[in-house]
Amino acid sequence: MKPGRPAAGSSHWLFTEDRLREEVTESQPALLPLDAWHRARGGRMVPFAGYEMPVQYEGIMAEHLWTRESAGLFDVSHMGQLVFSGDGADAELEKLLPGDVRALKAGRMRYSLLLNEAGGILDDLMITRLPEGHPFGEAGADDLYMVVNGAVKFDDIGTLREHVADRITINHMEDRALLALQGPKAVDALARLVPGVADLVFMRAGAFDWQGVPLWISRSGYTGEDGFEISLPGDAATVFTDALLEQPEVKPIGLGARDSLRLEAGLPLYGHDLDPEITPVTADLGFALSKRRREERGFAGADHILAERENGAVARRVGLIIDGRQPVREGADVLDGEGSMVGRVTSGGVAPSVGKPIAMAYVPVAMAAPGTAITVSQRGKVHHATVAAMPFVPHRYVRAGA
């Protein structure tokens, strides 16, 4: 198992400034379309995934709780937005993704994984079947829209370009912004500006218009709350964001609360809880292996992944509730009864909605059952923890038929 990064700082919050200072290339970090907007509103900017991004505005705890209670607006324009065009694009993507892409109907989306030949996870992503007449340029009947993680988007594009047929066009839409509006009142705020979005349900998407600005909106997100992701032209991002912030339910939220929210929701973060040495089975993401794909195989790493699914993985991603008030951080060791390191914490911090420190870790399968007592060592200090079912707080997605 790949060791995690060393724990960062002594703050109780997941995204300390040290942790946010990811490795950046020698060139200066790129600027988001809303860079000036964030600074004007007091956003504390830090380098992350090659961009300057806001970690917080008024404080991580306040922003976290506001999102759980109302509607938080996140700038996620660092993510990669890709459109695949060409005959059979879905079948070509199935060479690398274990999901049933061909079965997607227009406006339907699916969580999936970009895999290497050993079955390791190169990235996790969202893929959507686009309808004819979509807002991403010249539209074809087989077009697909994919959102990938910002830190690895150029690696992803290289991998995809290498493995899909030359007839498939990959359009990296660097001129578009991406916003996430999350929380129980997100639908009220957005529906005032964009009538019709309330008709969407979880994992459905569609084309909309706001004052002549073409929008692509999905009912999705990475906080465990109801909410939306909104793709729009970068040159329209400021005026549209201002309109959202005029809604009483909406406040801007930074990366710090985005991280604590997704951890409470039991959602893994690529580069921390997922990496090329982790498989979907070990990561407890077996739902991403669609039935048809399991039966037909044919995706990268299929033999290894399906053998592991049948025979069992040696380790599993689990949630932990930490005793006491001191959180454990990424990189802390999970110990067995003899004091030997047998696992590793990959994310951790205090959870504002839970009121306790929580974490994700990889542990041996024998230690993965909820209720199992776990010992964690961080900087020479021993912490006691209990394996807990995830999510730590219930998901509140608005599903079809609900």
Side-chain angles (χ1 to χ4, degrees):
M1 188 181 306
K2 181 179 179 180
R5 293 183 180 85
S10 59
S11 166
H12 282 197
W13 300 110
L14 282 72
F15 260 106
T16 63
E17 186 169 347
D18 286 343
R19 175 175 168 183
L20 276 166
R21 295 192 180 279
E22 303 276 271
E23 291 184 7
V24 180
T25 60
E26 293 181 1
S27 60
Q28 290 296 314
L31 301 182
L32 301 169
L34 288 169
D35 181 80
W37 189 95
H38 295 304
R39 296 176 191 275
R41 281 152 187 79
R44 181 180 169 195
M45 308 298 285
V46 298
F48 178 75
Y51 291 82
E52 288 279 338
M53 297 191 67
V55 60
Q56 64 181 47
Y57 297 86
E58 61 179 286
I60 294 173
M61 182 177 211
E63 292 170 26
H64 178 114
L65 294 175
W66 180 268
T67 303
R68 289 275 185 247
E69 297 164 2
S70 191
L73 181 63
F74 305 79
D75 185 357
V76 290
S77 301
H78 66 300
M79 307 284 278
Q81 299 184 67
L82 313 177
V83 169
F84 298 82
S85 303
D87 183 42
D90 47 11
E92 288 296 309
L93 288 173
E94 286 188 354
K95 295 177 181 178
L96 297 167
L97 311 183
D100 191 347
V101 183
R102 282 187 281 166
L104 282 175
K105 298 179 181 179
R108 304 291 180 92
M109 56 195 302
R110 173 164 287 145
Y111 175 86
S112 196
L113 304 164
L114 183 65
L115 301 172
N116 62 27
E117 291 301 325
I121 300 172
L122 299 175
D123 201 3
D124 63 337
L125 54 90
M126 300 296 297
I127 186 163
T128 308
R129 172 81 66 185
L130 291 168
E132 293 190 54
H134 64 71
F136 300 124
E138 186 175 345
D142 295 324
D143 291 357
L144 295 155
Y145 171 66
M146 181 185 291
V147 178
V148 299
N149 281 293
V152 292
K153 61 185 176 184
F154 294 109
D155 292 335
D156 289 356
I157 292 169
T159 298
L160 290 159
R161 185 69 278 169
E162 178 182 356
H163 290 279
V164 302
D166 290 342
R167 69 177 184 275
I168 305 303
T169 299
I170 303 175
N171 179 16
H172 179 202
M173 299 180 293
E174 297 182 86
D175 58 346
R176 294 187 72 86
L178 187 64
L179 307 174
L181 186 66
Q182 301 284 292
K185 298 181 182 178
V187 63
D188 300 323
L190 187 57
R192 291 191 202 104
L193 302 180
V194 187
V197 295
D199 295 334
L200 294 175
V201 293
F202 183 57
M203 301 295 276
R204 305 273 179 94
F208 296 86
D209 179 272
W210 177 75
Q211 298 185 3
V213 176
L215 308 175
W216 179 256
I217 302 177
S218 64
R219 199 156 192 172
S220 62
Y222 220 61
T223 63
E225 294 293 334
D226 181 28
F228 302 86
E229 291 195 350
I230 307 154
S231 174
L232 71 165
D235 57 9
T238 296
V239 63
F240 183 72
T241 303
D242 281 340
L244 281 173
L245 263 293
E246 290 175 0
Q247 310 309 309
E249 300 91 348
V250 181
K251 287 185 178 181
I253 310 296
L255 286 169
R258 184 169 182 259
D259 195 46
S260 57
L261 288 158
R262 69 91 193 168
L263 179 56
E264 285 187 345
L267 302 173
L269 178 65
Y270 193 81
H272 300 268
D273 311 297
L274 305 175
D275 65 39
E277 296 180 22
I278 297 295
T279 67
V281 178
T282 302
D284 198 25
L285 297 175
F287 69 88
L289 308 173
S290 297
K291 181 180 180 181
R292 176 180 67 82
R293 306 305 317 287
R294 296 196 311 267
E295 293 172 348
E296 296 180 2
R297 311 172 89 89
F299 56 88
D303 289 345
H304 179 83
I305 291 170
L306 296 176
E308 190 176 55
R309 184 176 184 269
E310 181 177 349
N311 301 321
V314 298
R316 184 64 54 89
R317 178 175 63 94
V318 300
L320 300 178
I321 299 288
I322 311 301
D323 292 353
R325 301 183 62 184
Q326 181 66 38
V328 297
R329 300 290 179 192
E330 178 181 351
D333 294 336
V334 175
L335 308 179
D336 65 12
E338 306 300 319
S340 299
M341 193 272 280
V342 294
R344 187 61 54 88
V345 172
T346 53
S347 291
V350 171
S353 305
V354 179
K356 298 177 181 178
I358 61 174
M360 284 186 200
Y362 283 90
V363 305
V365 168
M367 300 170 66
T372 302
I374 296 285
T375 301
V376 177
S377 176
Q378 176 175 260
R379 296 178 178 175
K381 183 178 180 180
V382 172
H383 300 258
H384 297 287
T386 304
V387 174
M390 292 189 288
F392 297 96
V393 298
H395 292 164
R396 296 200 283 186
Y397 307 134
V398 175
R399 299 184 184 274

